[in-house]
Amino acid sequence: MNFISKLITKHPSIDIILERDSENNENPTQQTKDQNGNLIETPVYNDWEPVGGKVIVDLKRIKNFQHQGIKIELIGIIEDQRKGQSKFISLCNDLDSSNELFNEITQYEFEFNNLEKPYDSFTGAFINLKYYLKATIQTGYKAIECEKEIIVQKTWI
């Protein structure tokens, strides 16, 4: 019975809001397509800029929710259609250790600074190079995840 109750139990949602999303929209963005083919505004960062914002957990009227940890990762990958994927950046910030959430909406601030982003974002015919943030709530039986892509442009002096 416990297994079945876990399957029908509601789960919270998780979202990533970048500092740039909440500012005056003077920061550069570029239109890209998501996995469903929809156009979205993707923030553009210089290679030296810190990447920061908030991870927001919405319990969706769940009274309390127990988890095994909440984290945010900054990942840089090269996707090659012939060779597969390879990561060249993988940084992780633990936002909360094993705990129980009671507030309907909980916010965690994060920042990745002093980080070298060695390559420009690139989309080609056979190779893609991309950076993205991945927020994860780890539970005993399932991980709840959210991803948000960013674009990096190197500045040449």
Side-chain angles (χ1 to χ4, degrees):
M1 186 68 174
N2 192 16
F3 176 73
I4 294 172
S5 67
K6 286 183 180 180
L7 289 176
I8 60 174
T9 303
K10 288 184 180 180
H11 297 289
S13 67
I14 187 167
D15 195 16
I16 301 168
I17 305 296
L18 296 173
E19 288 174 351
R20 295 192 155 196
D21 294 341
S22 60
E23 292 179 2
N24 297 333
N25 287 335
E26 295 175 9
N27 296 305
T29 61
Q30 187 174 350
Q31 284 193 339
T32 58
K33 290 185 179 181
D34 64 8
Q35 295 174 343
N36 301 324
N38 301 323
L39 285 177
I40 56 171
E41 292 291 323
T42 305
V44 178
Y45 286 86
N46 289 319
D47 57 331
W48 50 267
E49 286 183 281
V51 177
K54 296 178 184 176
V55 172
I56 299 173
V57 178
D58 185 351
L59 293 184
K60 297 182 179 178
R61 298 188 180 125
I62 302 170
K63 290 185 181 179
N64 57 9
F65 180 76
Q66 192 145 13
H67 64 85
Q68 274 72 45
I70 300 173
K71 66 181 178 179
I72 180 90
E73 297 173 88
L74 176 64
I75 300 170
I77 62 169
I78 299 172
E79 298 173 330
D80 186 328
Q81 289 183 357
R82 293 164 281 174
K83 297 180 182 177
Q85 287 187 355
S86 62
K87 288 184 185 178
F88 60 90
I89 289 179
S90 182
L91 296 173
C92 182
N93 283 348
D94 290 325
L95 302 174
D96 198 358
S97 60
S98 184
N99 201 351
E100 191 166 2
L101 297 176
F102 298 99
N103 297 334
E104 187 167 342
I105 295 179
T106 306
Q107 297 183 15
Y108 300 94
E109 293 188 12
F110 70 90
E111 185 170 73
F112 294 98
N113 53 12
N114 299 327
L115 163 70
E116 180 187 359
K117 299 178 228 38
Y119 308 113
D120 279 346
S121 296
F122 175 77
T123 301
F126 300 105
I127 295 178
N128 296 329
L129 191 143
K130 67 181 187 176
Y131 296 84
Y132 65 96
L133 294 160
K134 179 178 174 182
T136 306
I137 303 172
Q138 190 63 49
T139 66
Y141 51 94
K142 179 182 177 182
I144 302 165
E145 299 177 340
C146 172
E147 293 182 0
K148 186 161 194 160
E149 187 173 351
I150 62 171
I151 295 173
V152 171
Q153 293 180 341
K154 289 193 67 71
T155 50
W156 302 98
I157 299 174

